[in-house]
Amino acid sequence: MKALLCALLLAVPAAAAEPDIRDLVDKANKALRGDSSHGRLTMTIETPEWKRSLEIEGWNKERTYAFIKILAPAKERGNTTLRRKTEMWVWLPKVERVIKIPPTMMHSTWQGSDFTYEDIVKADSIVKDYTHKLLKTTKEEGRTVYHIEATPKPDAPVVWGKVLTDVAYYDDDGSVIPLNELDYSERGELIRTITLSDVKVMSGRRVPARLECVPARKPGQRTILHYKELEFDIPLEENFFSYQRLQKGGG
């Protein structure tokens, strides 16, 4: 009888493991950063009236340190941004001036784009400051897409009242990448949509090489980031992200 019971138990198929949604969001958030990273990209800002492109080089460490340098155009070359934990500074070589970004400026646009200083400072906010709920799962060829709703934790220092995001899990290598992010105000109004695409392998990792941010209230405007080079998990000491490096324009 005991042998029969064991046989029946072994015959019951194991239930599919429920994914850890917060872990999926965390891995998606790290897709373009890793534990540390270095990259070169182009940022293009388009409005109905004008279009402008910047060549950018950036370094990140542990989502708490960042150093970003403008390489071109010439009139903005050498402009740098430094983040150390919750503090941020910019260096403007034309006027030889360092500006510390106060909390009141965190919602201001960074380099005139549709991204803000807060986007840089709160690189892991979507993981730490929100509670995550799986809305549905869609099976596609070679991957599973998780549709996730993120709502702020009580008293969390965030600007979004709700974030909807789609995250893809790839069957072949277990890589996780974000596909989009829809940011809503506390009143439930869609503020902006970020779409990630052009999925490719860079430095051995599957990443979305193109990000497009479209503000809902500004018809005809968008900001596009196009990653041209990326390397991950490179050795970077904390003193790399120094005030002295900022004043030298990254040199």
Side-chain angles (χ1 to χ4, degrees), residues 11-224:
V12 175
E18 289 292 331
D20 184 326
I21 303 305
R22 185 180 187 277
D23 184 58
L24 281 175
V25 173
D26 188 33
K27 288 179 177 175
N29 185 254
K30 291 173 70 174
L32 285 165
R33 297 187 179 92
D35 292 325
S36 64
S37 64
H38 166 240
R40 288 176 180 262
L41 61 146
T42 300
M43 181 170 76
T44 302
I45 307 159
E46 296 180 4
T47 75
E49 294 79 27
W50 52 268
K51 179 178 177 179
R52 155 175 173 256
S53 292
L54 302 174
E55 297 295 324
I56 297 172
E57 184 172 17
W59 295 259
N60 285 277
K61 178 182 173 65
E62 297 170 353
R63 292 182 284 184
T64 54
Y65 295 90
F67 193 89
I68 305 169
K69 179 168 65 173
I70 307 299
L71 305 176
K75 67 178 182 179
E76 293 170 87
R77 182 185 304 144
N79 286 7
T80 51
T81 302
L82 170 66
R83 175 202 176 184
R84 288 183 61 86
K85 298 185 177 178
T86 59
E87 296 186 293
M88 180 173 286
W89 300 264
V90 296
W91 162 248
L92 303 174
K94 276 194 172 181
V95 293
E96 297 187 348
R97 186 180 175 193
V98 172
I99 300 174
K100 184 172 183 178
I101 305 301
T104 53
M105 279 187 63
M106 283 298 172
H107 299 167
S108 302
T109 63
W110 182 73
Q111 297 293 329
S113 72
D114 294 298
F115 296 98
T116 67
Y117 288 101
E118 184 166 89
D119 289 325
I120 300 172
V121 171
K122 297 201 168 205
D124 57 353
S125 176
I126 187 65
V127 181
K128 295 194 313 181
D129 297 327
Y130 290 81
T131 300
H132 310 98
K133 176 184 175 184
L134 179 62
L135 299 179
K136 66 174 181 177
T137 302
T138 304
K139 184 63 182 175
E140 300 179 354
E141 184 177 354
R143 69 183 190 181
T144 303
V145 177
Y146 296 90
H147 308 271
I148 298 168
E149 177 185 82
T151 52
K153 295 178 181 177
D155 302 322
V158 299
V159 296
W160 307 126
K162 180 177 72 174
V163 176
L164 298 181
T165 183
D166 289 344
V167 171
Y169 174 90
Y170 284 79
D171 300 333
D172 56 355
D173 61 359
S175 59
V176 177
I177 66 167
L179 301 178
N180 58 45
E181 176 182 318
L182 285 73
D183 299 322
Y184 291 82
S185 71
E186 291 183 349
R187 294 182 298 179
E189 181 184 8
L190 178 64
I191 301 300
R192 66 180 186 179
T193 300
I194 301 173
T195 304
L196 301 94
S197 59
D198 191 19
V199 177
K200 60 177 65 173
V201 176
M202 301 177 75
S203 296
R205 290 192 182 193
R206 180 183 269 131
V207 297
R210 185 181 188 276
L211 287 77
E212 178 178 310
C213 180
V214 178
R217 297 174 179 172
K218 300 177 180 176
Q221 181 166 321
R222 63 178 181 170
T223 297
I224 301 168

